[in-house]
Amino acid sequence: MSNWPYPRIVAHRGGGSLAPENTLAAIRLGQSLGYRMHEIDVKLALDEVPVLLHDEVLERTTNGTGRAADMPWSTLRTLDAGSWHSAEFAGEPVPSYDEVVKQFLSRGTACHVEIKPTPGFDRQTGNKVAAASHRLWRSAALPPVFSSFSFEALMAAKEAAPGIRRGWLISRFTEADWERLEALEATSLHTNHKNATPEVIRELHARGYKVMLYTVNEVDTAERWLDAGADGLFTDNLSEFAAKFPKLI
Ligand code: G3P
Ligand code: MG
């Protein structure tokens, strides 16, 4: 298998802006548009069940309040994570990581698993998500990629599932990141396209790293980064990107 067998355009937060982020509905919608790879955000419930949620707290994307880390999975799963987006998705639940991996595997699609620990839970989040991934993705044709803004979480993931590729996620790449990439034995660097340059992509490529850029929602910006050699782009603009780049999704 090639060092980087992944599509260049990736559905951000499951289904971009077309559906409530980090839900099964979002992932299904992305798959129905032809996406073969999705990015999701994963953290731990109180009882250490890995769940999909971007924020530390529940208010923005569910009808719950407070931290996901203070609620057991049995309670989190009863929340409405769809109404904030639109009436069409009312009642859509917060999914567990196990459930969404089953959905990916049922369609042979893959995943950038962003390990997004609740602050203070870095190590155990990296450990649990990696252990679950090792178990769940065993038979996958296209294996997942881990990423995280948390160095500690990604190091823990490396210990628990060394065979799963790791991407170091940082808003702006600086010289200090070479050391982190090396310590993580990372395959890729994931960064904000607004802080990236073609030179940074060239330097990373010259040292053997792939480069993923988030979150690119304009077609002309995407074309510019693809021409500059970016290995992948995360997008919320699923319909337009699927129409414009059908061979890259
Ligand atoms: O994984 C790339 C991107 O998702 C990082 O930013 O805030 O959307 O999780 P955020
Ligand atoms: Mg993310």
Side-chain angles (χ1 to χ4, degrees), residues 30 142 174 179 187:
L142 207 51
T174 68
E179 210 174 302
T187 306

Side-chain angles (χ1 to χ4, degrees), residues 12-13 39-41 54 114 116:
H12 187 232
R13 300 190 192 181
E39 185 262 2
I40 55 170
D41 304 293
H54 181 275
E114 186 190 333
K116 203 137 177 114

Side-chain angles (χ1 to χ4, degrees), residues 12-13 39-41 54 112 114 116 147 149 169 190 213-215 234:
H12 187 232
R13 300 190 192 181
E39 185 262 2
I40 55 170
D41 304 293
H54 181 275
H112 284 269
E114 186 190 333
K116 203 137 177 114
S147 70
F149 288 111
L169 178 52
H190 304 197
L213 300 176
Y214 66 88
T215 306
F234 300 102

Side-chain angles (χ1 to χ4, degrees), residues 211-224:
V211 181
M212 297 290 303
L213 300 176
Y214 66 88
T215 306
V216 181
N217 293 330
E218 306 291 335
V219 165
D220 57 348
T221 309
E223 283 171 337
R224 195 156 44 79

